[in-house]
Structure formats: structure tokens, C-alpha cells
Amino acid sequence: MSDPAAALDPAALRALAETSTAWPFEEARKIVARLKQHPKDEVLFETGYGPSGLPHIGTFGEVARTTMVRHAFRVLTDDRIKTRLIAFSDDMDGLRKVPDNIPNKELVAAHLGKPLTRVPDPFGTHPSFGEHNNARLRAFLDAFGFDYEFASSTEYYKSGRFDATLLAMLEHYDAVMEIILPTLGPERRATYSPFLPVDIRTGVVLQVPMVARDAKRGTVTYEHPETGERVTTAVTKGMVKCQWKADWAMRWTALGIDYEMAGKDLIDSVKLSGEICRVLGGRPPEGFTYELFLDDKGQKISKSKGNGLTIDEWLRYASPESLSLFMYREPKAAKRLYFDVIPRNVDEYAQFLDGYKRQDGKQRLTNPVWHIHAGTPPDTSVPISFTMLLNLVSASNAENAETLWGFIGRYWPGVTPQSHPRLQREVEYAIHYFRDFVLPAKRFREPTDGERAALMDLRDALSQLADDATAEAIQEVVYEVGRRPPFLDEKKKGKDGKPGVSLDWFNLLYQVLLGQEKGPRFGSFVAIYGLKNTVDMIDGALARSA
């Protein structure tokens, strides 16, 4: 591929990046400005993960988007400054409730309140529930080839990596309380402490007030909620963990995090954690507030509820690149994340990739595929859209890839699974999607008498076309049949000046012939599916409704 952007020397590429309107560059410029004020030899990016439920796509989205900003920063700085991305798991959090979408709920229910890494794995594959979900996350991030370092809250607390900052929080205990208490209700305020002791006997993370503290010794004292006895414990070596907002601030300070994104629902948490970070002697990271993902009903996606799409589900039906595109586009707009969005993202990814070849360097830096592929999009193409593949599967009820390749090879001689491996993957995706979503929802509408007559006219007109008729010629026949009552639309005019055709005509074709509400450009579909196959399909629809 001829690549003007790649051919640019680093200085020229940086010059384009410095004025690019693509949001990853806008974010990266914030980090560059930060370094001018406080120079560092290394920049740390972080993403957080709460492993209380099975990983969902929102978690991946944060890593993907942060990776895009990291790459943009490297371009802006000519890669002179070392960068690292830490994927941090809050696996020392106490499990508050049993997730809805796991097996062996009774097993997990017996361990409520314990750190996730002390809760048995209901799936029976790992030493703990936290480690099971951590492994799921890592496996997925590895499959995408992300460059990251996984970090476990449990490991970091117990190893002592947080000890110095925990002692600093103990020393500045009153200042931290002054930040948090005004944000709490009276009942919560009476029991709040930034430290949550881990009960030595039960392993439960306790939500109890502190009755004494000793900064010199590094200890806190609390009354045990069951026995009433006073217990003194160190704040180091994993004997306590911090409350959420204090924990975030402590981590930023201890690790020196420079950049971390957060969802819109955490705006207040980011603000409070930033204030605590400053009290601890740290500098809050640069940040980016993204909108939340919604399910098909418009409700926020929740790990514990299991609504919306899981990571594995998207990858069963579409490519990783299509998911990355979904994450790249409009990160500040709330987006519904459910199965119906998959085909559109697959096709739009292909369109962006195809358009990239014709763009200059400046335009390419605003093309999503440049950011998805870290500046080097692949030189591949797919001759057929994913939506068209779905309709071919739907029309033929294809149960195997060979059937689809028969249509594809007839229309595009020489196009094979070997010559187009990306298309081979999309054929498999289309079959999975059809079986799981299209087929169960198929409902063939019976045509009215007038519609039957129109379908018979279409059948006869298609029968008279040559086998090698172009998609345009077929589409013109479709229009000509549609320009008859009751589908003639005198108010609309075609590009050729002829009368328009009502959408009811095309809806008829989709609903009666394909058993679905929407469909492809019909002429293109028939050209690939075949005239004889289409005539047979019309005959079948007419026979069903006879």
C-alpha cells in the first residue's frame, strides 16, 4: 500500500499530529503539556477493572481507547519517552453480592464480603473467583495483542508496593476525612474510614470506623463488629485495603499514574480522588470522561447483571477490528451495545479501511483505522459487505461456508478462502450470526393479492434477463416493476427523472421473500445470489401463501 502518512519522517508526522482533530491526539496533547510542567522519563497509563462479574466489552473499550491515546502520545513525542500501560484489577475488593450470571451461586454466597481473590471460583477453573475473571480479561487483551502489564490489587497490597503511600494516608488521615465526609450521608459519615481492615479470622473486608490510629507505628484500631473487642492492625502488607475513592488516589500516588480514563458515572469520584492524591503528595493523572454503554433497552451495562454483550459474544459474530471501531467512534456519546450494532460496525470498518487508501496524510490521521492499527492499517479488502453476506445466508438458509463460497466464487471468479482470508472469517461470522439471531426471528409475511401479482411480474421480468445481467440492470427491473400501482410514488422522482417507488415495495420484498424487516439493495443481492435462485425464492414464497 502506498502510505503517505507512513512515508513521512517523524517530524512531519508529528506536525500533522499536533493539529489533528482526532480525539486520541487531543488527549495525547494534554499529556505532552503535563510533561512540560513536570518532566518525567516514563509516562504511565492505567486502566482499571473491577472483577466482581464476568468481563464485558466496556472493560475492553477502556484498554483499547487508552492504547490509542498512548500511540498518539508516542507519535507526538517521536517515541523518545518510555510508556507503559497498567491494566489494574481491583481484585481485593470485598464481594458485595452474588452476580446473576454465574453457576454455583450458593458456593459464592457463602463468601460474601471477602476479597475476590479469597472467594472460590464458581467455574472451578482457578483458585479464586477474582483470578478466574482476571484470566478472562488477560486472555482477551492478549488475543488483541495489547501491550500492557497486568496488576493485581491483592498482589500489590500484600507485596508492600503500596506501603509507603498507605503510611502517608495514615499520616494525613484527617485531611482525607475532610475531603470525603462532606460527600456522605449522616449514617455513612458516622462509620466511614479510608481504611478497611481485613478480618484475620474470617477474611472479610470490614466496613468499620477507626477508634484509634498510630501514624508512627503504622497501625489503626477498630472494634470488631461481632465480638466488640478492640483490634489493632497494621495498614501495610495487605492487612487493610482502602475505600474506593481513597484507594484510587492511593494507587495514582504510589504508581505515579499520568493518564486514566473514566466513565461519566465516576465524575465525582475522579474529582475527590484527585483531591486526596494531592494531599498524599501526588499529582492526579490527566483524564478523559467517556459516556456509558447501554443495552438494547437503554439501561447501563452491568457486569453483575450480565446485560449487554460480552467480549466472547462479539468475537463469535464479528472481527476484533469492528469492535475497536465501535470503541473509537464518539467516545463521549452514550451508545447502545447489543447484537444489532455488529453488522453495521463490520461494514463501516471495511469502508474506512477502503477509504484510507485514497486519503492524504492529514486525512488518514482522522481515519479510525489509523488509530485501530497504530498507524499501519492492513492492505486488505473484502469484495462483499457483511450485510450482504447475512442476506445470502438468510436467503439460502446456508448451514455451511461452502454454500456461501459458491455464490461468492460465481460472482467474483478467483475469490477463494485462500485468496481472501479476511472474507473467510467474515463468512463464518455471518453463519454464526444468522443461526443465532436472524433465523429465530424470521417471520415470512403473506402477500396480499395485489402484492402477489407484483411478485409474479417481478418473477417474469427477472426470468427474461441474461444470466450475466449486472446488478444495475437487475435493479432497474426491480424499479420498473415497482413503478406500478400500488407502489408507484408520483411525488418522488428517480435520478433518471422517472417516477419514484414507494418503500412499501422494497419492504414487501424483504418481508415476504427474506422473512425480515430490512434488506440489501435488491439488485446487488440478486446479482450475487443468482437470477435462477431468486426466481425459485419468489416461487417458494408464492407457493407458501397460495
Side-chain angles (χ1 to χ4, degrees):
M1 178 190 295
S2 174
D3 188 345
L8 295 171
D9 61 70
L13 181 58
R14 184 180 70 249
L16 289 176
E18 286 173 347
T19 59
S20 175
T21 58
W23 68 261
F25 284 118
E26 293 176 346
E27 289 301 294
R29 287 195 285 267
K30 287 159 49 175
I31 308 172
V32 172
R34 175 189 179 93
L35 290 186
K36 289 181 179 178
Q37 295 179 340
H38 302 273
K40 291 179 65 179
D41 295 330
E42 181 180 64
V43 168
L44 292 181
F45 296 80
E46 182 182 52
T47 61
Y49 167 60
S52 58
L54 303 182
H56 64 71
I57 290 179
T59 306
F60 162 74
E62 200 167 296
V63 179
R65 288 167 172 169
T66 303
T67 296
M68 293 173 188
V69 176
R70 181 186 180 190
H71 176 252
F73 172 81
R74 294 177 62 185
V75 170
L76 287 170
T77 57
D78 295 332
D79 212 10
R80 294 190 309 269
I81 300 172
K82 182 181 178 181
T83 63
R84 290 163 54 210
L85 169 58
I86 298 174
F88 196 94
S89 171
D90 288 306
D91 57 19
M92 199 169 167
D93 286 356
L95 183 64
R96 290 177 294 176
K97 63 178 181 178
V98 179
D100 296 331
N101 55 345
I102 63 169
N104 300 316
K105 293 183 175 64
E106 299 81 6
L107 174 68
V108 172
H111 296 271
L112 288 178
K114 293 181 181 180
L116 290 155
T117 44
R118 290 195 183 186
V119 176
D121 178 16
F123 296 89
T125 60
H126 292 77
S128 71
F129 189 32
E131 289 167 278
H132 173 93
N133 288 335
N134 287 344
R136 290 279 300 269
L137 175 73
R138 291 199 304 272
F140 184 67
L141 298 182
D142 291 343
F144 270 81
F146 285 122
D147 177 22
Y148 71 99
E149 299 173 20
F150 179 79
S152 160
S153 177
T154 301
E155 179 185 343
Y156 274 42
Y157 268 100
K158 290 187 173 181
S159 68
R161 295 189 67 168
F162 288 153
D163 282 359
T165 312
L166 289 166
L167 291 170
M169 184 170 293
L170 181 58
E171 184 178 349
H172 296 90
Y173 188 94
D174 290 334
V176 173
M177 293 288 279
E178 287 178 7
I179 293 170
I180 296 294
L181 291 184
T183 69
L184 305 175
E187 184 176 339
R188 187 75 183 90
R189 195 180 304 146
T191 62
Y192 181 84
S193 166
F195 296 112
L196 300 175
V198 179
D199 191 334
I200 296 176
R201 181 173 58 85
T202 65
V204 171
V205 179
L206 300 174
Q207 299 254 2
V208 292
M210 299 298 105
V211 297
R213 59 186 188 276
D214 189 330
K216 290 185 178 180
R217 293 188 175 184
T219 63
V220 291
T221 301
Y222 63 94
E223 287 188 359
H224 196 283
E226 294 180 1
T227 66
E229 66 177 316
R230 289 202 167 195
V231 180
T232 298
T233 186
V235 299
T236 54
K237 297 296 187 290
M239 301 304 293
V240 305
K241 79 168 300 292
C242 290
Q243 293 265 18
W244 156 233
K245 299 177 182 68
D247 188 81
W248 211 5
M250 183 275 298
R251 186 196 314 165
W252 287 345
T253 305
L255 303 181
I257 301 301
D258 295 292
Y259 186 87
E260 181 162 5
M261 297 182 174
K264 183 180 179 181
D265 56 338
L266 296 179
I267 289 177
D268 291 339
S269 297
V270 170
K271 180 177 180 292
L272 292 172
S273 296
E275 293 179 23
I276 297 172
C277 181
R278 293 185 185 92
V279 165
L280 299 178
R283 188 162 185 259
E286 303 304 313
F288 176 83
T289 301
Y290 56 82
E291 265 286 1
L292 306 178
F293 295 121
L294 309 175
D295 63 15
D296 57 337
K297 298 179 178 62
Q299 299 190 352
K300 176 188 170 185
I301 287 178
S302 165
K303 291 189 296 294
S304 59
K305 289 182 181 178
N307 59 334
L309 283 173
T310 68
I311 290 166
D312 293 338
E313 284 170 337
W314 186 293
L315 288 187
R316 173 170 167 78
Y317 307 116
S319 67
E321 294 84 2
S322 65
L323 176 55
S324 293
L325 174 64
F326 182 85
M327 296 304 167
Y328 175 86
R329 302 184 75 181
E330 302 177 309
K332 291 191 175 183
K335 293 189 290 187
R336 297 198 177 193
L337 180 57
Y338 60 107
F339 295 103
D340 287 0
V341 308
I342 291 177
R344 177 169 60 87
N345 278 276
V346 174
D347 284 339
E348 289 183 352
Y349 168 78
Q351 292 163 13
F352 280 120
L353 191 61
D354 183 62
Y356 184 85
K357 304 170 186 177
R358 299 182 292 276
Q359 294 176 322
D360 60 28
K362 181 179 179 180
Q363 293 170 327
R364 289 183 170 191
L365 295 193
T366 60
N367 188 323
V369 298
W370 191 91
H371 298 274
I372 290 169
H373 296 284
T376 55
D379 185 9
T380 61
S381 62
V382 173
I384 182 172
S385 72
F386 188 68
T387 301
M388 184 64 78
L389 280 176
L390 286 176
N391 283 290
L392 286 174
V393 183
S394 183
S396 60
N397 288 309
E399 288 297 321
N400 55 65
E402 288 74 20
T403 302
L404 279 185
W405 281 107
F407 297 129
I408 295 168
R410 183 185 63 79
Y411 193 73
W412 289 284
V415 174
T416 67
Q418 293 72 35
S419 67
H420 287 70
R422 194 175 124 219
L423 179 56
Q424 182 183 22
R425 292 194 300 272
E426 293 198 0
V427 164
E428 295 294 341
Y429 292 141
I431 292 173
H432 289 160
Y433 194 92
F434 168 74
R435 288 174 180 168
D436 293 352
F437 299 106
V438 179
L439 184 59
K442 265 198 171 194
R443 299 291 183 272
F444 291 97
R445 177 171 72 77
E446 288 196 9
T448 64
D449 290 342
E451 290 172 340
R452 285 180 60 85
L455 287 173
M456 293 178 69
D457 288 344
L458 178 63
R459 177 205 183 284
D460 293 342
L462 293 177
S463 299
Q464 296 175 23
L465 289 174
D467 289 341
D468 60 352
T470 64
E472 290 73 20
I474 297 170
Q475 185 72 8
E476 181 55 33
V477 167
V478 174
Y479 271 113
E480 283 301 320
V481 175
R483 290 191 183 103
R484 306 171 189 173
F487 304 110
L488 179 67
D489 189 341
E490 296 283 5
K491 296 180 180 179
K492 291 167 58 176
K493 294 291 183 181
K495 293 180 180 179
D496 55 4
K498 295 181 179 179
V501 179
S502 168
L503 286 177
D504 291 342
W505 169 233
F506 298 99
N507 290 337
L508 159 67
L509 299 178
Y510 305 144
Q511 294 167 6
V512 174
L513 300 182
L514 298 179
Q516 57 199 49
E517 292 301 315
K518 298 179 181 179
R521 188 172 186 268
F522 204 73
S524 300
F525 166 74
V526 174
I528 301 172
Y529 188 50
L531 284 164
K532 182 180 185 305
N533 289 330
T534 304
V535 168
D536 290 344
M537 181 171 61
I538 296 173
D539 285 340
L542 293 172
R544 279 197 308 269
S545 60

